Amino acid sequence: MSTALITGATTPVGIAIAKQLLADRVFAHILAVGAEPPEEVKALFPTSGVTYLQADLTHPRALRNLLFAPAASHQVTTVIHTALHRAAQLGGQRVHQLNVESTRELLRLCEQHPTIRRFVLRSHAEIYRVRAIEPEILDERHPIDLSAGLPQWLRDRAEADLITCAAMAVSPLQITVLRCAECLIPDAGSQLFDYLCSQVCLQPLGFDPMLNVLSLPDLARAFSLAAASPAHGIFNIVGQDTLPLSALIHKWGRLRIPLPSTLLGPLYWLRSKTQGTDFRYDLNRFRFHFSAIMDGRLAAQQLHYTPQHAAF
Amino acid sequence: MSFPSALFRFLSKAFLDEHQQDRCATLRFADAGHGFDVFGLSPDWVQGMFALFQPIYQHYFRVQSHGIENIPSSGAAILAANHSGMLPIDGTMIYCDVLHNSQPARIPRPVTDHFVPSLPLISTLYARCGTVGGSRGNVHALLSRGELILIFPEGVPGIAKPFRERYQLRPFRVGVVEMAIRHRVPIIPVAVIGAEEQFPLRMQLPLQLFGAPFLPVSPIPFPLPVRYHIHYGAPISLYEGTSASDADSPQLVQQGAAQVQRAVQALIEHGLRTRKGLFT
């Protein structure tokens, strides 16, 4: 059994993936990489099987040092890249550096690495283009949203995904991109989770689209299966729960108020400015109008992944 | 249970007779886990809307159904119908007719034009009743799941034609044939007689609200209570003697579309010949 390196390892998603990989005995050892000092994250990981390394992925030199010193000495064979800026309210060059440039640089360095053979990226369902004229069931060939004026949060995610997908054609690595449905947990960059944290959820009047949400155990299992499988490519990772937005709000015990769509942007902007919340209506406008459910059949066929846990 | 679901359950119990309630109880749908399928269909809404439209179906338009046995009892199939009447009442009556008479009861999945998912309230109502937006991906997904879909291959030009051109079909689009060949499913031609006369006076305002191509208006506030006749023809198996990849042949799908159009036109002519009058 070999060693895997996980970026973004101190996030709830990174921790769950690390634990799942060890539990499934896919890897004997995990190099967990995060931005926090080691003393702050000691309690997050199992005492054996995980080595924590602090690294700032926005610095190419730090990335090089990480891959060609500890990763080389541990003979890392697989890199699982989940590091991403989660806050939607922040933007700018440094955020872009982490979201996009670190992915590009990491891929490049992995290709030159003596032991790394596999690269797995955590991508997101939100990057798919959602419009009235588009199908409601999205397979892996569905267009990515690259429209002009796209907020950086979405643009960066789409760019990181496309960089990795483009590398599939030319890279000697086995590359897998897992486009995961939204995971309704805190600190995972979930816009829906932040939306549902409010006691009152505003919804576009006259629209009630279908959504799919993923549980953290299923997400971690998908990564474990992808890391262990000889299959590679792009896979949609869907959750067990597919339901209308109104039903989701109802299940979370929130009050739902339908309002004309034109009011929602300013109201949620005001909410974020006064309460410091992260939900941005402009990021979610289309999927709050039109259904968009990923088709998970390819992952079921090739990775043998099917969701098994309810998200809430 | 949400308020709309509870309301629609109440409506179906209040307005449907026991036989229809039993039929509705046997409706099958692919539950995605919370009482909805992936497209948003809810059996509670289907039953509730069926209950609401039942008086219109039975007593206002007095729909007469012919050849419903041509609809397969299971598996994917495409109902290809003529489109007419300014408003999509023809689709609603076919929908009610299939729910009312098919053996076993099946939920038809109407495929609407691109702009329908942009319409507030209507988009949600349609989705809960099983309608999907008209994209190739949606049709592909439904046929892969063995659903019975309802398509109007004339599209908007069919519903928008002037009264003087009633029962003259607009050219059928080829997408329906392409999907039938690719998915190896039969096409059942359907003719709706009566819908053309429900709004004899009609006009179109060039207002493109929510992406709709025009705003239909008529000096008659309600459709006339014409009698509807819905004729289902024998299934056409265009896939026989072809392979799935033949769906890419422009010539083949064009010929197939013309064949389906001829079958619908023949059913229309038969229906017009055999009906006794507009209202009887």
Side-chain angles (χ1 to χ4, degrees), chain B residues 247-259:
Chain B
D248 295 322
S249 161
Q251 202 181 1
L252 190 73
V253 294
Q254 198 71 51
Q255 286 169 356
Q259 185 182 340

Side-chain angles (χ1 to χ4, degrees), chain B residues 80-131:
Chain B
N82 60 316
H83 207 8
S84 57
M86 198 174 84
L87 293 175
I89 300 170
D90 52 352
T92 311
M93 290 303 110
I94 298 172
Y95 182 86
C96 289
D97 193 47
V98 174
L99 279 174
H100 197 275
N101 293 314
S102 60
Q103 288 296 345
R106 297 191 71 176
I107 306 174
R109 310 299 299 262
V111 179
T112 65
D113 216 315
H114 294 310
F115 65 87
V116 173
S118 304
L119 303 172
L121 300 172
I122 291 172
S123 58
T124 302
L125 174 69
Y126 273 28
R128 296 293 171 270
C129 292
T131 299

Side-chain angles (χ1 to χ4, degrees), chain A:
Chain A
M1 284 198 287
S2 52
T3 302
L5 182 149
I6 302 177
T7 67
T10 53
T11 64
V13 169
I15 295 164
I17 293 171
K19 287 180 178 172
Q20 186 75 40
L21 290 173
L22 288 174
D24 291 347
R25 299 175 184 272
V26 179
F27 298 101
H29 197 81
I30 302 287
L31 289 188
V33 179
E36 295 80 3
E39 54 276 12
E40 285 182 21
V41 297
K42 205 180 285 179
L44 296 178
F45 298 104
T47 46
S48 65
V50 178
T51 303
Y52 180 74
L53 299 167
Q54 184 185 10
D56 182 356
L57 302 184
T58 60
H59 289 166
R61 176 56 59 190
L63 261 181
R64 179 175 284 276
N65 290 344
L66 174 71
L67 286 191
F68 289 93
S73 63
H74 279 89
Q75 298 199 313
V76 166
T77 58
T78 302
V79 169
I80 296 173
H81 184 40
T82 73
L84 201 66
H85 211 284
R86 286 160 281 170
Q89 298 291 345
L90 298 177
Q93 185 55 37
R94 190 170 164 74
V95 171
H96 180 77
Q97 194 73 27
L98 175 66
N99 291 347
V100 179
E101 299 307 328
S102 72
T103 306
R104 196 194 309 273
E105 187 66 12
L106 195 56
L107 262 171
R108 196 178 66 81
L109 294 172
C110 286
E111 287 170 4
Q112 299 167 1
H113 199 273
T115 59
I116 294 171
R117 296 285 172 268
R118 178 179 274 273
F119 184 88
V120 183
L121 175 77
R122 180 197 173 201
S123 187
H124 303 78
E126 294 93 317
I127 66 169
Y128 283 122
R129 191 167 68 201
V130 177
R131 299 287 188 278
I133 61 165
E134 301 287 357
E136 292 161 50
I137 309 293
L138 321 178
D139 65 13
E140 286 80 359
R141 292 182 179 187
H142 189 85
I144 304 296
D145 196 349
L146 298 170
S147 50
L150 205 64
Q152 185 183 346
W153 192 88
L154 280 176
R155 200 178 58 239
D156 281 358
R157 279 160 173 72
E159 198 176 343
D161 182 289
L162 289 175
I163 286 169
T164 313
C165 291
M168 282 177 192
V170 291
S171 173
L173 298 169
Q174 277 198 332
I175 297 175
T176 301
V177 174
L178 301 183
R179 292 179 180 155
C180 304
E182 197 155 347
C183 207
L184 295 183
I185 54 169
D187 301 323
S190 167
Q191 282 283 294
L192 263 185
F193 180 81
D194 193 74
Y195 172 76
L196 293 167
C197 281
S198 173
Q199 286 301 317
V200 176
C201 294
L202 308 178
Q203 191 180 352
L205 180 67
F207 294 93
D208 194 14
M210 298 295 288
L211 300 168
N212 178 262
V213 287
L214 177 64
S215 68
L216 188 57
D218 277 339
L219 185 147
R221 208 165 48 80
F223 274 86
S224 176
L225 289 168
S229 167
H232 53 99
I234 308 165
F235 300 99
N236 288 337
I237 303 300
V238 298
Q240 202 179 52
D241 296 287
T242 300
L243 68 175
L245 177 59
S246 62
L248 182 64
I249 295 168
H250 180 71
K251 284 187 184 296
W252 276 64
R254 304 302 191 225
L255 179 65
R256 183 174 71 95
I257 300 181
L259 287 176
S261 332
T262 44
L263 294 178
L264 297 192
L267 286 172
Y268 274 109
W269 177 82
L270 203 62
R271 175 180 176 248
S272 70
K273 293 296 167 199
T274 54
Q275 298 180 20
T277 52
D278 200 43
F279 179 78
R280 282 176 60 173
Y281 182 68
D282 60 338
L283 290 179
N284 299 281
R285 185 163 59 98
F286 288 111
R287 67 179 180 141
F288 273 29
H289 283 80
F290 311 118
S291 295
I293 304 295
M294 289 195 298
D295 184 345
R297 282 181 295 183
L298 193 63
Q301 287 162 9
Q302 296 198 17
L303 302 179
H304 307 295
Y305 164 80
T306 48
Q308 291 174 354
H309 300 90
F312 46 85

Side-chain angles (χ1 to χ4, degrees), chain B residues 45-114:
Chain B
W45 285 61
V46 171
Q47 289 179 42
M49 291 311 294
F50 182 45
L52 280 178
F53 276 101
Q54 188 75 352
I56 299 169
Y57 170 83
Q58 279 192 317
H59 303 299
Y60 192 81
F61 289 120
R62 306 170 314 283
V63 177
Q64 287 201 337
S65 183
H66 311 266
I68 193 86
E69 64 279 2
N70 286 315
I71 295 179
S73 56
S74 63
I78 299 173
L79 300 174
N82 60 316
H83 207 8
S84 57
M86 198 174 84
L87 293 175
I89 300 170
D90 52 352
T92 311
M93 290 303 110
I94 298 172
Y95 182 86
C96 289
D97 193 47
V98 174
L99 279 174
H100 197 275
N101 293 314
S102 60
Q103 288 296 345
R106 297 191 71 176
I107 306 174
R109 310 299 299 262
V111 179
T112 65
D113 216 315
H114 294 310

Side-chain angles (χ1 to χ4, degrees), chain B residues 262-280:
Chain B
R262 282 196 300 274
V264 174
Q265 189 72 57
L267 273 178
I268 288 173
E269 282 159 17
H270 169 75
L272 289 173
R273 266 199 317 274
T274 53
R275 79 168 168 179
K276 292 179 181 123
L278 278 183
F279 301 98
T280 55

